[in-house]
Amino acid sequence: MFEARLGSTTLLKKIVDALREILSQSTLDCSDSGIQLQAMDNSHVSLVSMLLQNDCFEKYRCDRNISLGLDLKSLSKVLKCASGDDAVTISAPDKADKVQLSFESAGKERTADYELRLLNLDQEHLGIPETDYSCVVIMPAIEFARICRDMTSFSESVVIACSKDGIKFSASGEMGSANIKLSQTSKGDVDLTVEEPVTLSFAGRYLSTFTRATPLSEKVKIGMAADVPLLVEYPIEDYGYIRYYLAPKVDDPDA
Amino acid sequence: MFEARLGSTTLLKKIVDALREILSQSTLDCSDSGIQLQAMDNSHVSLVSMLLQNDCFEKYRCDRNISLGLDLKSLSKVLKCASGDDAVTISAPDKADKVQLSFESAGKERTADYELRLLNLDQEHLGIPETDYSCVVIMPAIEFARICRDMTSFSESVVIACSKDGIKFSASGEMGSANIKLSQTSKGDVDLTVEEPVTLSFAGRYLSTFTRATPLSEKVKIGMAADVPLLVEYPIEDYGYIRYYLAPKVDDPDA
Amino acid sequence: MFEARLGSTTLLKKIVDALREILSQSTLDCSDSGIQLQAMDNSHVSLVSMLLQNDCFEKYRCDRNISLGLDLKSLSKVLKCASGDDAVTISAPDKADKVQLSFESAGKERTADYELRLLNLDQEHLGIPETDYSCVVIMPAIEFARICRDMTSFSESVVIACSKDGIKFSASGEMGSANIKLSQTSKGDVDLTVEEPVTLSFAGRYLSTFTRATPLSEKVKIGMAADVPLLVEYPIEDYGYIRYYLAPKVDDPDA
């Protein structure tokens, strides 16, 4: 038996919104310690990894490890049927071919139950090696989302250059070019930890997809080092995270 | 001479919005006692009936019975040109080929007059027999609209089951299944009068179309009995109603 | 060297929004006294003229007259990247093939620089003769926009009739007809100066395009006289204007 209850549906909505553009279907690996997900995006370029610890839930029970293969578009439709402040219980018996989502309104005069068919998805567990990033930037998630949006209207590639002076995003295309610089501020909005400066080029549309997670966190953490994938991490309160990984473009002359 | 004046355009906008998706053209039957409309929807499956008593109007005059055949899309365009708080006067001479709508702003420094061509529409007056419904449910109109929207994302058919315990809406399709239950609450939000429990299946997209009337009323009344059409009624303040009728699906195994 | 700085980006956004539907590309003529633009619309039917005096800017420097040929769609994309309260500096060296737009946030911890390629556009300087309009109407810009929108849902042509009694807009088509009358009010919302009454017919979709300038000004000035183009003028605070000119329809029987 697997059962997990959240006091509000809002957090679950935000998580599914963060995942459903990058993954159409995915497997949630549920264990005693919480729920994990790890997958390549639909086009097998970037990687996403999610952790939700069991203390995120009002009630959490997982008698045996269970993998729930879900169509995220269907899950998103079900979540749209719920109010943000409905409590939600996700449950599945040990050998399930369905998962149940039950929503309760505050006064309990309305109950809504949804059953979604489980999918049998191939899973490759990719080891993500721990990396020492030579540059780590913590910045407002909304600002990062805005910059990614602005850059992609200029070019498919976004160059990110990080040094002790700040972080600079650049894009250059037919229309012209764009440069946005952020410095470490006394207000502490932008926080830079730079061992060695690094300049890398990335496919802007993946960065934009990652920013679907913006509503989850006030701050986003960006980790970069030469020749390793970029890390874009959105913390989920104190209970976990969504992490996106994207390899730098190698053939880009700006990189 | 026919002349009817409303102090605000908002009510008329809501009524036309409730009708114009289900009926592209329709005839308003105006008599001394008020305005009536009765018609099959565009696809001849459901039936809609409207009554607006003369006391709904600030001023009402109808010397002789008159039938005004209107294109509801055009009427809706004209109403979009008016502010909600404009006063509106609808008028037509006895043998009219046009109807006039005159809007006045509060200070009267702006007058807008529109003339719409009248249409010659075939009319079949269908007698709607008075029915004793074995289940009558009064519930918040917004809740009914939300449930219809949620159900139709699962299946074309919606099963409505009503008993003394409550009213339950169910839909089941490829993606999975949905069940929403409402109980009679102490708050009085949901009111059930059940002589005999009944379970019937309906085409969800018609139910969804009916909910276009939601802005008209805080509450909606649902009447069901075995083998007769479902009644969905939206009261128009104390002045009348819009009623929709929809026959149950017979070949549905869930019905 | 050309350099012009505005304390906020909002005004520039509104100006570009007012121009970019009617002109896809255009040349800004910059001189010591300010910035001017004059062009036929994309379909060579109407004419638009803009003036921004140098005192509109916080800082303005123009060593030599310079013409900046711009793609307004690209410029609009760049402006979308800025917050309304960012300060913006537009600059170009004397023999430029690019123009630079630099945005600074209030605290200056964020700088964004954009370079747009300049275009070599053919320019015909059309003399606009000074005209004595026999009717001049000053009315709320929002009201004019609403009337143009309402009229165009009835007909391609809009008849504007101006007399001492007021200004009347009419349209008549398949669906029916529309008449909106505004009188000179004691509140001073509508101000009429009529030497001789005039009735002219215009292509409604051009009028609608002109109303893209509505956010620029509270009031719009309409000038009409027999056989000369209509003037629709939106003042830009005390610093200039956008003027649109449109010839009346001659073959229209209503004209």
Side-chain angles (χ1 to χ4, degrees):
Chain A
M1 178 72 182
F2 169 76
E3 198 177 49
R5 179 184 161 95
L6 284 162
S8 120
T9 305
T10 304
L11 180 64
L12 193 57
K13 285 184 187 225
K14 288 179 183 174
I15 290 172
V16 173
D17 282 342
L19 298 174
R20 75 193 168 92
E21 190 167 305
I22 203 163
L23 303 171
S24 55
Q25 304 182 326
S26 189
T27 300
L28 297 177
D29 295 308
C30 310
S31 72
D32 195 41
S33 62
I35 300 176
Q36 272 189 291
L37 169 155
Q38 196 201 284
M40 301 293 285
D41 75 90
N42 296 330
S43 55
H44 282 246
V45 171
S46 64
L47 192 140
V48 56
S49 157
M50 185 203 70
L51 172 68
L52 264 186
Q53 286 162 8
N54 56 16
D55 58 359
C56 173
F57 299 93
E58 270 188 24
K59 211 166 112 180
Y60 188 88
R61 173 185 164 191
C62 184
D63 301 340
R64 291 170 42 156
N65 289 2
I66 185 170
S67 288
L68 305 174
L70 286 167
D71 183 276
L72 293 181
K73 206 175 149 190
S74 300
L75 180 56
S76 168
K77 276 192 186 172
V78 167
L79 292 174
K80 274 208 189 102
C81 299
S83 296
D85 51 2
D86 284 356
V88 54
T89 303
I90 306 164
S91 60
D94 275 346
K95 294 197 172 176
D97 63 344
K98 285 177 195 163
V99 65
Q100 181 158 22
L101 288 106
S102 302
F103 300 93
E104 262 169 53
S105 63
K108 296 195 185 184
E109 75 283 352
R110 181 193 207 270
T111 61
D113 295 318
Y114 298 90
E115 279 187 349
L116 286 177
R117 292 190 209 298
L118 290 176
L119 308 172
N120 246 322
L121 302 172
D122 282 342
Q123 264 196 293
E124 4 162 23
H125 268 278
L126 304 139
I128 302 170
E130 278 293 312
T131 304
D132 279 334
Y133 294 102
S134 52
C135 298
V136 173
V137 181
I138 294 171
M139 62 183 281
I142 287 175
E143 177 72 34
F144 180 64
R146 181 183 158 194
I147 290 172
C148 290
R149 188 199 62 196
D150 291 352
M151 290 290 132
T152 48
S153 70
F154 278 81
S155 166
E156 284 180 16
S157 294
V158 177
V159 178
I160 308 182
C162 193
S163 71
K164 291 202 163 139
D165 289 346
I167 183 165
K168 189 176 97 176
F169 299 84
S170 310
S172 177
E174 249 176 70
M175 188 167 101
S177 63
N179 284 290
I180 298 179
K181 259 180 267 179
L182 301 177
S183 317
Q184 183 145 349
T185 55
S186 50
K187 283 191 292 175
D189 270 1
V190 176
D191 185 81
L192 297 160
T193 312
V194 177
E195 277 172 35
E196 209 172 334
V198 61
T199 297
L200 292 167
S201 172
F202 300 97
R205 66 192 184 91
Y206 289 98
L207 298 181
S208 285
T209 312
F210 301 164
T211 62
R212 292 293 177 116
T214 304
L216 270 176
S217 318
E218 212 176 312
K219 299 274 184 174
V220 61
K221 177 175 150 189
I222 296 166
M224 296 208 300
D227 303 322
V228 305
L230 170 81
L231 163 71
V232 178
E233 175 177 328
Y234 293 88
I236 301 175
E237 296 168 29
D238 293 329
Y239 306 127
Y241 54 75
I242 292 185
R243 289 180 184 155
Y244 301 95
Y245 299 88
L246 178 65
K249 291 180 102 168
V250 286
D251 55 350
D252 191 301
D254 299 325
Chain B
M1 178 73 184
F2 170 74
E3 198 177 49
R5 181 186 160 94
L6 285 163
S8 119
T9 304
T10 304
L11 181 64
L12 193 56
K13 283 184 188 226
K14 288 179 182 173
I15 291 172
V16 173
D17 282 343
L19 298 174
R20 74 192 169 93
E21 189 166 305
I22 203 162
L23 303 171
S24 54
Q25 304 182 324
S26 189
T27 300
L28 297 178
D29 294 309
C30 310
S31 71
D32 195 41
S33 62
I35 300 175
Q36 272 190 291
L37 169 155
Q38 197 202 284
M40 302 292 286
D41 74 90
N42 296 330
S43 55
H44 281 245
V45 171
S46 63
L47 192 139
V48 56
S49 158
M50 185 202 71
L51 173 68
L52 265 186
Q53 287 161 8
N54 57 15
D55 57 359
C56 174
F57 299 93
E58 269 188 22
K59 211 165 112 183
Y60 188 87
R61 174 186 163 189
C62 185
D63 301 340
R64 293 169 43 156
N65 288 1
I66 185 170
S67 288
L68 305 173
L70 285 167
D71 183 276
L72 293 180
K73 207 175 150 191
S74 300
L75 181 56
S76 168
K77 275 191 186 173
V78 166
L79 292 173
K80 274 209 188 105
C81 299
S83 295
D85 51 2
D86 284 356
V88 54
T89 303
I90 306 164
S91 60
D94 275 348
K95 294 201 171 172
D97 63 344
K98 286 175 193 163
V99 65
Q100 182 160 20
L101 288 106
S102 301
F103 300 93
E104 262 168 54
S105 64
K108 296 196 185 183
E109 75 284 351
R110 181 193 206 271
T111 61
D113 296 318
Y114 297 89
E115 279 188 349
L116 286 177
R117 292 190 209 299
L118 290 176
L119 308 172
N120 246 323
L121 303 172
D122 282 342
Q123 264 197 293
E124 6 163 19
H125 269 278
L126 304 139
I128 302 170
E130 280 293 311
T131 306
D132 279 335
Y133 294 102
S134 52
C135 298
V136 174
V137 180
I138 294 171
M139 62 184 280
I142 286 174
E143 177 73 33
F144 180 64
R146 182 183 158 194
I147 289 172
C148 290
R149 188 199 62 197
D150 292 352
M151 289 291 133
T152 48
S153 69
F154 278 81
S155 167
E156 283 180 18
S157 294
V158 177
V159 178
I160 308 181
C162 193
S163 71
K164 292 202 162 139
D165 291 345
I167 182 165
K168 190 177 96 173
F169 299 84
S170 310
S172 177
E174 248 177 71
M175 188 168 100
S177 62
N179 285 290
I180 297 179
K181 259 179 267 179
L182 302 177
S183 317
Q184 183 147 347
T185 54
S186 51
K187 283 191 293 173
D189 270 1
V190 176
D191 184 81
L192 297 159
T193 312
V194 177
E195 277 171 35
E196 209 172 332
V198 61
T199 297
L200 293 167
S201 172
F202 300 97
R205 68 193 181 91
Y206 288 98
L207 298 181
S208 286
T209 312
F210 301 166
T211 63
R212 292 292 177 120
T214 303
L216 269 176
S217 318
E218 214 177 311
K219 299 274 183 174
V220 62
K221 176 175 150 188
I222 297 165
M224 296 208 302
D227 303 321
V228 304
L230 170 80
L231 163 71
V232 178
E233 175 177 326
Y234 293 88
I236 301 175
E237 297 169 29
D238 292 329
Y239 307 126
Y241 53 75
I242 291 185
R243 289 180 183 153
Y244 301 95
Y245 298 89
L246 178 65
K249 292 180 103 169
V250 286
D251 55 352
D252 191 301
D254 299 326
Chain C
M1 177 73 183
F2 170 75
E3 199 178 50
R5 180 185 160 94
L6 285 164
S8 117
T9 304
T10 305
L11 180 64
L12 193 57
K13 283 185 188 225
K14 288 178 182 173
I15 291 173
V16 173
D17 282 343
L19 299 174
R20 73 194 169 91
E21 190 167 305
I22 201 162
L23 303 171
S24 56
Q25 303 183 326
S26 189
T27 300
L28 297 177
D29 295 309
C30 309
S31 71
D32 194 42
S33 62
I35 300 175
Q36 273 189 289
L37 169 155
Q38 196 202 285
M40 302 292 286
D41 74 90
N42 296 329
S43 55
H44 281 246
V45 171
S46 63
L47 192 140
V48 56
S49 157
M50 184 201 74
L51 173 67
L52 265 185
Q53 286 162 8
N54 58 16
D55 58 359
C56 174
F57 298 93
E58 270 189 21
K59 211 165 112 182
Y60 189 87
R61 174 184 162 190
C62 185
D63 302 339
R64 293 168 42 154
N65 289 3
I66 186 170
S67 288
L68 306 174
L70 286 168
D71 183 276
L72 293 181
K73 207 175 149 190
S74 300
L75 181 56
S76 168
K77 274 191 186 172
V78 166
L79 292 173
K80 274 208 189 104
C81 301
S83 295
D85 50 2
D86 284 356
V88 54
T89 303
I90 307 164
S91 61
D94 276 346
K95 295 198 172 176
D97 63 343
K98 285 175 193 162
V99 64
Q100 181 158 22
L101 288 106
S102 301
F103 300 92
E104 262 168 54
S105 64
K108 297 196 185 183
E109 75 283 352
R110 182 194 206 269
T111 60
D113 295 317
Y114 298 90
E115 279 187 349
L116 286 177
R117 291 189 210 298
L118 290 176
L119 309 172
N120 246 322
L121 302 172
D122 282 343
Q123 264 197 295
E124 4 162 21
H125 268 279
L126 304 139
I128 303 169
E130 279 294 310
T131 305
D132 279 334
Y133 294 102
S134 52
C135 297
V136 174
V137 181
I138 294 171
M139 62 183 281
I142 286 173
E143 177 72 32
F144 180 65
R146 182 182 158 195
I147 290 171
C148 290
R149 188 199 62 197
D150 291 352
M151 289 291 132
T152 48
S153 69
F154 278 81
S155 168
E156 284 181 16
S157 294
V158 177
V159 178
I160 309 181
C162 193
S163 71
K164 291 202 161 139
D165 290 347
I167 183 166
K168 190 176 99 176
F169 299 83
S170 310
S172 177
E174 250 178 68
M175 188 167 102
S177 63
N179 285 291
I180 298 180
K181 258 179 268 179
L182 301 177
S183 318
Q184 184 147 345
T185 54
S186 51
K187 283 191 292 172
D189 270 0
V190 176
D191 184 81
L192 297 160
T193 312
V194 177
E195 275 170 38
E196 210 172 333
V198 61
T199 297
L200 293 166
S201 173
F202 300 98
R205 67 192 182 91
Y206 288 99
L207 298 181
S208 286
T209 312
F210 301 164
T211 64
R212 292 295 178 116
T214 304
L216 270 176
S217 318
E218 213 177 308
K219 299 275 183 173
V220 62
K221 176 175 151 188
I222 296 166
M224 295 207 302
D227 303 322
V228 304
L230 170 80
L231 163 71
V232 178
E233 175 177 327
Y234 292 88
I236 301 175
E237 297 168 30
D238 293 329
Y239 306 127
Y241 53 76
I242 291 184
R243 290 181 182 152
Y244 301 95
Y245 298 89
L246 178 65
K249 291 180 104 170
V250 286
D251 54 352
D252 192 301
D254 299 326

